[in-house]
Amino acid sequence: MTAVTDRPRRVTGGRLLLYGFLISLLLVFALPLLWALSSSFKSRSDIFSYPPQPLPAPAVLDNYRTLLAEQPFWSWFVTSTVVALLSTVLAVGLCSLAGFAFAKYRFRGKTILFNIMFSSLAVPFAVIVVPLFIMIAKARLTEPYFALVVPWIAPAFGIFMMRQFAEQAVPDALLDAARMDGCTEFGLFRRVVLPLLRPALGALGVWSFLNSYNSLIWPLIVISEPGDYTLPLGIQALFGATGRQYDLVLAGSVLAAVPSLLVFFLLRRQLLEGLAAGAVKS
């Protein structure tokens, strides 16, 4: 029987190099966020002072007060949050249904439809913006909430992700057993399939929320009234005719990042489980 020892790992030169590389990489990614957070508490004249000051001295809240008092920040925030939540709920529901159908049902044209859908992943969103806007205008769905939600309710990436996960995580024998017990197809999906897809649903939910919440190009196309602006569009509007208000932009950017960070940390476990499960075959 081999004795189990709990000795600390020996620090080698290779391990030190690895730690140094990872810490450097972390600083590269975190530095813009830390600079924005620090600068949001500086006066406008101190933001671009030379030499640059890493910390505000003194820290002021004037940027946040001015932003909340003089700009419709809360209107932008509510619009972005409602649109992102609606898009997420619809995307999770429709993508799970479509992915399950592609994975477990046989129907005519299934391979052709899937290949067309899969090929659309290679098309940049900027290429389809104009045709998509014309389609929505023809369908008379130009009301702000409809126009902002529709492009995100059935993304090709979400359908592909759920199809791959359903193929691995949902055994055919389990579906056949449920059918023999008298379960309807919708009951089968709700009671058997959805619990098995939970990790992928969490990952898709985080991806959908962040994708819709941070969108700028599409709201820039379909929204014309300032009262209907989303957060990215409202912050972008601060670079307006009155000059580039970097102090307000930085304060708005910090506040806008809070919901994204909350969603990520609250659903971090489901996101990691979904990504890991999608990468490992059962």
Side-chain angles (χ1 to χ4, degrees):
M1 184 176 179
T2 304
V4 178
T5 59
D6 192 20
R7 290 181 300 181
R9 292 183 178 179
R10 190 162 56 93
V11 178
T12 63
R15 192 175 294 276
L16 285 176
L17 283 176
L18 176 62
Y19 288 157
F21 173 74
L22 292 176
I23 292 173
S24 302
L25 198 62
L26 175 65
L27 289 176
V28 168
F29 283 104
L31 191 58
L33 179 61
L34 295 176
W35 183 85
L37 179 62
S38 172
S39 298
S40 68
F41 292 100
K42 297 178 182 176
S43 63
R44 184 178 296 184
S45 59
D46 289 340
I47 291 176
F48 296 107
S49 63
Y50 187 84
Q53 300 175 352
L55 296 176
V60 294
L61 294 174
D62 294 349
N63 301 335
Y64 292 93
R65 291 196 188 99
T66 305
L67 175 71
L68 299 178
E70 299 180 2
Q71 304 293 336
F73 178 84
W74 293 117
S75 173
W76 303 340
F77 176 81
V78 169
T79 302
S80 283
T81 304
V82 171
V83 168
L85 289 175
L86 286 174
S87 302
T88 301
V89 171
L90 292 171
V92 168
L94 293 177
C95 288
S96 57
L97 278 170
F100 174 60
F102 275 122
K104 297 298 177 181
Y105 287 91
R106 295 181 179 179
F107 52 89
R108 184 174 298 178
K110 170 183 169 179
T111 303
I112 296 175
L113 283 175
F114 182 77
N115 287 336
I116 293 174
M117 184 275 299
F118 185 71
S119 301
S120 68
L121 289 173
V123 181
F125 184 72
V127 174
I128 63 172
V129 161
V130 174
L132 186 61
F133 176 74
I134 294 174
M135 290 172 59
I136 288 181
K138 294 285 185 183
R140 298 182 180 180
L141 295 177
T142 52
E143 289 295 324
Y145 281 100
F146 283 113
L148 291 171
V149 168
V150 165
W152 311 113
I153 61 175
F157 171 76
I159 297 173
F160 172 74
M161 176 182 172
M162 299 307 295
R163 183 251 193 187
Q164 297 300 104
F165 196 88
E167 278 192 339
Q168 299 175 16
V170 183
D172 292 336
L174 186 61
L175 300 179
D176 294 337
R179 290 188 180 105
M180 291 179 66
D181 287 341
C183 192
T184 63
E185 292 302 309
F186 183 74
L188 185 76
F189 176 77
R190 185 170 63 87
R191 297 174 183 172
V192 178
V193 176
L194 279 184
L196 295 174
L197 296 181
R198 188 174 301 166
L201 295 176
L204 178 60
V206 174
W207 180 85
S208 298
F209 183 88
L210 297 181
N211 210 26
S212 174
Y213 185 81
N214 296 322
S215 174
L216 173 63
I217 294 179
W218 182 244
L220 194 62
I221 298 294
V222 298
I223 300 299
S224 56
E225 297 295 330
D228 298 328
Y229 280 0
T230 59
L231 258 179
L233 197 55
I235 293 174
Q236 188 271 341
L238 295 176
F239 293 104
T242 58
R244 298 186 173 185
Q245 307 175 78
Y246 288 107
D247 49 345
L248 302 187
V249 170
L250 289 167
S253 300
V254 171
L255 291 177
V258 173
S260 299
L261 294 174
L262 284 177
V263 168
F264 176 78
F265 283 111
L266 289 175
L267 299 178
R268 178 182 55 182
R269 182 178 176 184
Q270 287 82 354
L271 176 63
L272 295 178
E273 287 180 354
L275 295 177
V280 180
K281 290 186 176 180
S282 60

